[in-house]
Amino acid sequence: MPASLFEADDRPKADALCQLTWCNPFHETRPALERQALGDAWKVPPLDGVEWEDGTPVAAANPNTDALTQLSKRLATDARERLRRRTPSDNERETYRDLVIFALFYHFVDEFHRVIRQARERKSAPMRCTFYDRFRAEWERWSPADQPNLRMDIPPERIFAIFFQVRRAYAHIHECIIGASPAARLLRARVWQSIFTRDMARYERALTGRMGDLITLITGPSGSGKELVARAIGLSQFVPFDASRREFAEDYLRGFYPINLAALSPTLIESELFGHRRGAFTGALGDRLGYFEVCGPHGTVFLDEIGETDTGIQVKLLRVLQTRVFQRIGDTEPRTFAGKIVAATNRDLAGEMRAGRFREDMYYRLCADHVRTPALREILRDTPGELANLIRHIASRIAGPDEAAALIDEACSVLNHSLPPDYPWPGNFRELEQAVRNILVHGDYGPETPGSFSTTSMPATSGGTASSTNGTATVDSVATALADGKWTAEELLRCYVRRVHQLSGSYEEAARRLALDRRTVKKYVRATAETD
């Protein structure tokens, strides 16, 4: 920090503000920097860094924002008066620029938030921003063209677009990753890095608009929010601003293209992603543009369940990952993919590679940016009270603000009485949301086999001595039945298939673990359910 720019008492404050300008807002170091800047005036922010209204993050929820903004304006003004009288060093220029950027961002943060809120309400983002003229006037006041000592090296339209991206990223990360648990806070910080890298100053200098070159891989158990994380990343990509037209280059809400690869045949996957020419295959009645073609340079294609693809599709995807070149089905013309790719899977890709079901070269193209979503049981194990916070968010969304409080109390009461304390939530957040919906509709919730997870039980069968009053077979009763030789091989297989299905959360994953066909797994699970 240049000593001559500030009085002794202001130097550490200015240093903290300059670091805050490029700080990950979800990183654990941010509160310490705020406290360094504000001293005794600092207030403890909410644990999850945001307050909520109707499920929407509120702008400027941090109680220190106003004080930090006023401090940055005062220090920037002091620096401006001193710099007018002499030629600044590079360090002094950077200090002045960072203070101005901090002050201007928070000066216009509510304007950007209104644009985001309108986009959410309308399901499309307004591309024109009428407040850009006011922003540019403020920028030129701090960076006048006729005063070289104060002129900053960033075009105003570029910093305006970065401000909008930062505000979008903050809003969408909070919208998609809820809760105040340490796991949720770490995940938010990690996703922010996937958008801006760990060094936002470097992002501004060299990587703005280029993060699409990096592929993001999201892993985690089924129902843990992988698609929500992908959506937060996809909706937070940089979109340039055209100052002459006062418009952003595109509607950011229309630039996210998700496809579930496990739900489609290889031919349909190719058609959806690469497109096809008329007559390329039976049913191809006209030309079709695939996601790789319609996705512009600021959009994102989300490849969900990429671990489910066969090696033939992997080879074709690998070419796009390596060269960004593809061809429509039935066409020979090379086309270029310009957007970003985000992929997700609940599979253990290391195990899939060992088994020969997933290509190593494919994996190493995907793993440059790896984000893992935690299971709900991991979150609740470390922060048991977080369950009520998650229910609060779900209830606000499905019942509305007026009825949310009553539903929260009802859901917490029902789940506390119907589930054991160590219930591991095998369906993760998806299961919790459906549990709250069940309570809203029926007033109760019971998993398919209550108690089977905490007691390591298996479904009961129609034969033998292993049946129990609640329709499940405990470990002891199973052991007794096996020791007495009372179960048939068919009954034992049926129980084990049901158990693996419960643990894995899907027919596909259970079939993989059991080395059975998916239809066979489904047959045994349904047969067991009919006998319970």
Side-chain angles (χ1 to χ4, degrees):
M1 179 61 58
S4 58
L5 273 184
F6 306 102
E7 302 296 335
D9 291 346
D10 284 338
R11 290 174 199 163
K13 298 176 183 180
D15 180 60
L17 281 171
C18 288
Q19 293 182 64
L20 282 169
T21 301
W22 307 110
C23 176
N24 183 331
F26 304 111
H27 197 271
E28 59 185 6
T29 59
R30 183 177 177 91
L33 290 171
E34 291 182 354
R35 193 166 191 170
Q36 179 182 328
L38 296 179
D40 294 339
W42 180 78
K43 299 175 183 178
V44 179
L47 271 179
D48 60 352
V50 77
E51 295 172 355
W52 296 86
E53 288 180 0
D54 304 338
T56 301
V58 179
N62 187 333
N64 301 299
T65 297
D66 288 343
L68 290 167
T69 303
Q70 294 305 315
L71 176 62
S72 64
K73 288 181 179 179
R74 180 178 70 79
L75 293 176
T77 300
D78 292 347
R80 179 174 59 183
E81 294 307 311
R82 290 182 172 91
L83 291 178
R84 277 175 172 164
R85 298 191 293 267
R86 67 168 189 271
T87 302
S89 66
D90 290 343
N91 198 340
E92 289 174 331
R93 283 183 183 277
E94 290 177 7
T95 299
Y96 176 68
R97 182 197 63 181
D98 291 351
L99 291 171
V100 170
I101 287 174
F102 188 96
L104 281 183
F105 175 78
Y106 285 103
H107 183 80
F108 287 95
V109 68
D110 289 338
E111 302 267 17
F112 286 114
H113 181 70
R114 273 192 286 272
V115 174
I116 296 167
R117 187 172 59 225
Q118 290 171 6
R120 185 182 289 112
E121 293 169 353
R122 300 173 182 175
K123 309 300 182 186
S124 65
M127 296 168 62
R128 187 170 181 82
C129 274
T130 56
F131 66 92
Y132 173 74
D133 289 337
R134 286 187 284 113
F135 170 84
R136 180 164 185 167
E138 279 294 303
W139 180 263
E140 291 176 347
R141 186 169 71 86
W142 291 99
S143 178
D146 60 348
Q147 297 185 44
N149 288 5
L150 301 177
R151 195 162 55 237
M152 291 179 277
D153 56 356
I154 309 175
E157 63 272 18
R158 183 158 161 266
I159 199 67
F160 186 79
I162 291 176
F163 281 2
F164 186 42
Q165 182 188 15
V166 167
R167 195 66 191 91
R168 277 187 287 121
Y170 188 83
H172 290 303
I173 288 173
H174 265 301
E175 182 181 3
C176 295
I177 305 171
I178 62 174
S181 68
R185 296 200 298 272
L186 287 172
L187 180 58
R188 283 194 283 264
R190 183 81 172 182
V191 172
W192 185 271
Q193 290 179 343
S194 292
I195 300 167
F196 298 104
T197 78
R198 65 179 182 83
D199 186 345
M200 284 194 66
R202 177 189 291 160
Y203 175 83
E204 183 278 318
R205 289 193 308 269
L207 299 174
T208 303
R210 296 178 56 191
M211 290 298 289
D213 295 341
L214 296 176
I215 300 165
T216 299
L217 173 65
I218 306 169
T219 61
S222 179
S224 60
K226 294 186 295 298
E227 182 168 357
L228 290 175
V229 169
R231 183 173 178 81
I233 295 172
L235 296 180
S236 302
Q237 295 303 296
F238 178 80
V239 180
F241 185 78
D242 186 334
S244 63
R245 301 174 62 184
R246 308 299 192 268
E247 289 184 352
F248 284 100
E250 63 182 49
D251 178 348
Y252 72 88
L253 282 179
R254 300 181 186 275
F256 184 69
Y257 302 90
I259 177 172
N260 189 318
L261 301 178
L264 302 175
S265 68
T267 300
L268 284 178
I269 290 174
E270 288 189 65
S271 177
E272 288 292 312
L273 292 177
F274 303 111
H276 61 251
R277 292 292 302 273
R278 178 182 178 183
F281 52 85
T282 302
L285 303 179
D287 291 352
R288 175 188 175 88
L289 303 182
Y291 283 174
F292 286 146
E293 192 165 352
V294 299
C295 178
H298 318 298
T300 299
V301 173
F302 174 45
L303 306 176
D304 198 9
E305 303 292 357
I306 197 166
E308 308 286 336
T309 55
D310 62 36
T311 54
I313 291 294
Q314 289 175 34
V315 170
K316 294 179 180 179
L317 287 175
L318 183 61
R319 185 191 179 205
V320 181
L321 302 184
Q322 289 175 329
T323 67
R324 292 189 160 259
V325 173
F326 67 96
Q327 294 169 330
R328 294 182 192 170
I329 302 174
D331 196 0
T332 58
E333 180 183 349
R335 303 173 189 275
T336 301
F337 170 64
K340 181 178 177 66
I341 290 177
V342 177
T345 183
N346 62 3
R347 292 283 185 93
D348 172 13
L349 292 185
E352 294 296 297
M353 287 188 288
R354 288 193 296 270
R357 291 187 291 265
F358 200 82
R359 295 174 60 96
E360 286 191 17
D361 48 3
M362 181 77 164
Y363 173 76
Y364 290 116
R365 280 288 171 181
L366 293 172
C367 68
D369 174 25
H370 184 194
V371 177
R372 180 184 176 275
T373 54
L376 181 55
R377 66 175 179 274
E378 298 174 40
I379 293 174
L380 298 182
R381 182 182 61 223
D382 299 331
T383 319
E386 185 68 3
L387 184 63
N389 290 332
L390 299 174
I391 292 173
R392 172 170 62 92
H393 174 75
I394 295 170
S396 297
R397 192 173 71 250
I398 67 176
D402 295 336
E403 194 60 30
L407 180 56
I408 293 166
D409 292 340
E410 185 179 355
C412 289
S413 176
V414 168
L415 294 178
N416 285 335
H417 284 87
S418 63
L419 298 179
D422 59 348
Y423 181 68
W425 294 98
N428 293 293
F429 297 97
R430 186 181 296 128
E431 181 186 359
L432 176 59
E433 181 170 0
Q434 298 312 314
V436 176
R437 292 180 185 275
N438 266 266
I439 293 166
L440 173 69
V441 176
H442 300 293
D444 59 20
Y445 176 68
E448 194 171 329
T449 53
S452 64
F453 298 94
S454 60
T455 60
T456 321
S457 63
M458 286 178 152
T461 66
S462 57
T465 62
S467 62
S468 62
T469 58
N470 67 352
T472 63
T474 65
V475 171
D476 291 340
S477 63
V478 171
T480 300
L482 292 176
D484 293 343
K486 296 291 183 70
W487 278 10
T488 66
E490 181 74 8
E491 289 172 333
L492 180 60
L493 179 59
R494 191 190 310 166
C495 285
Y496 185 60
V497 170
R498 177 74 171 276
R499 173 60 172 164
V500 173
H501 174 256
Q502 291 168 342
L503 292 173
S504 63
S506 70
Y507 291 118
E508 290 80 5
E509 178 62 14
R512 186 187 69 82
R513 294 187 187 183
L514 293 164
L516 292 174
D517 184 85
R518 179 183 182 279
R519 290 167 294 183
T520 303
V521 173
K522 194 170 186 178
K523 178 190 74 173
Y524 279 116
V525 170
R526 287 184 171 179
T528 307
E530 291 170 358
T531 62
D532 284 350

